[in-house]
Amino acid sequence: MNDNVARHPGVAAESSHPEVHRKPEPVMFGFWVFLMSDLVLFAVLLATYATMSVHGVAGGPAPRDVTDLASAAIETALLLASSFTFGLASLAQKYEQDPRQTVRWLLVTAALGLAFLGLEARDFVRLVADGAVPQRSGFLSAHFTLLACHGLHVAAGLLWVGVLLMRMRVGRLQQVVRLRIMRLALFWHMLDIVWVAIVTVAFLFGAV
């Protein structure tokens, strides 16, 4: 860890010199706008799910019939753990001169994300095997759409991690790579927040 360079307390953009932080500001602002628009998408999906879980069952499985709290708890633990390890990757790329620490934590994050997707895919297979397919009712359509949309976001995040890891194989950590890691960290943490909302609305309320 290099203590000779003053660091910004919250942003991993090398030193605390104002010019260093002024350059990425437009990029980070644009990414925040993208994240907010993505949150609006999930808010609409959650509202649709809440409505369909009451009025769209159509004689088919109700929320409590498709809720697996044990699986949801494991998936939540995996995703929260991945957010923690991504935080360690962010700290490593900020303070460590050796990029291998960042690479290690990104690999751990990717492994946890893959495990999350594997469990989610298993849940989908079980539902389909039980006849709870999306076309059976409006509620099941909303259920699959909400969870699949979040899963696709996690898959996109994993693809992004893979691209960054390949980019980091070329030379030392450059400013452009640091900014991409910062944006991916924001994206990944947003997925955690969305998942907590999904667990609360779709799994906890649905199981009651």
Side-chain angles (χ1 to χ4, degrees):
M1 183 180 298
N2 185 2
D3 295 328
N4 298 323
V5 180
R7 306 280 183 177
H8 189 280
V11 180
E14 295 185 345
S15 71
S16 64
H17 192 281
E19 185 63 26
V20 175
H21 295 276
R22 193 171 298 120
K23 290 181 180 177
E25 280 181 356
V27 176
M28 297 306 295
F29 176 77
F31 195 72
W32 273 108
V33 172
F34 161 72
L35 291 180
M36 294 302 106
S37 65
D38 225 19
L39 285 175
V40 170
L41 168 66
F42 279 109
V44 171
L45 292 177
L46 280 168
T48 303
Y49 178 94
T51 302
M52 288 298 171
S53 65
V54 177
H55 303 290
V57 175
R64 68 173 63 88
D65 301 320
V66 300
T67 299
D68 185 346
L69 286 180
S71 181
I74 297 173
E75 291 168 11
T76 302
L78 288 171
L79 209 54
L80 292 179
S82 73
S83 195
F84 177 74
T85 55
F86 208 123
L88 294 177
S90 298
L91 289 175
Q93 69 99 11
K94 179 178 180 180
Y95 291 111
E96 300 290 344
Q97 297 296 319
D98 186 355
R100 286 179 293 184
Q101 284 287 348
T102 305
V103 170
R104 290 191 190 100
W105 286 120
L106 286 177
L107 287 173
V108 173
T109 301
L112 292 168
L114 283 172
F116 170 86
L117 286 181
L119 285 178
E120 194 165 56
R122 185 200 62 175
D123 291 343
F124 283 162
V125 171
R126 282 181 177 177
L127 288 176
V128 172
D130 293 338
V133 292
Q135 60 268 32
R136 184 168 180 181
S137 68
F139 160 68
L140 288 173
S141 296
H143 181 84
F144 275 89
T145 302
L146 175 61
L147 296 182
C149 186
H150 180 269
L152 285 175
H153 277 68
V154 174
L158 291 176
L159 179 62
W160 195 347
V161 170
V163 172
L164 278 177
L165 289 175
M166 288 190 290
R167 182 66 181 80
M168 290 171 68
R169 290 173 61 89
V170 183
R172 60 185 295 275
L173 276 175
Q174 298 173 346
Q175 179 70 356
V176 63
V177 178
R178 292 177 184 275
L179 288 174
R180 287 171 182 168
I181 293 176
M182 289 167 58
R183 294 199 296 275
L184 178 55
L186 290 174
F187 180 75
W188 199 265
H189 296 319
M190 182 206 73
L191 294 181
D192 267 10
I193 295 172
V194 170
W195 179 252
V196 170
I198 291 174
V199 168
T200 303
V201 174
F203 291 97
L204 295 182
F205 289 163
V208 176

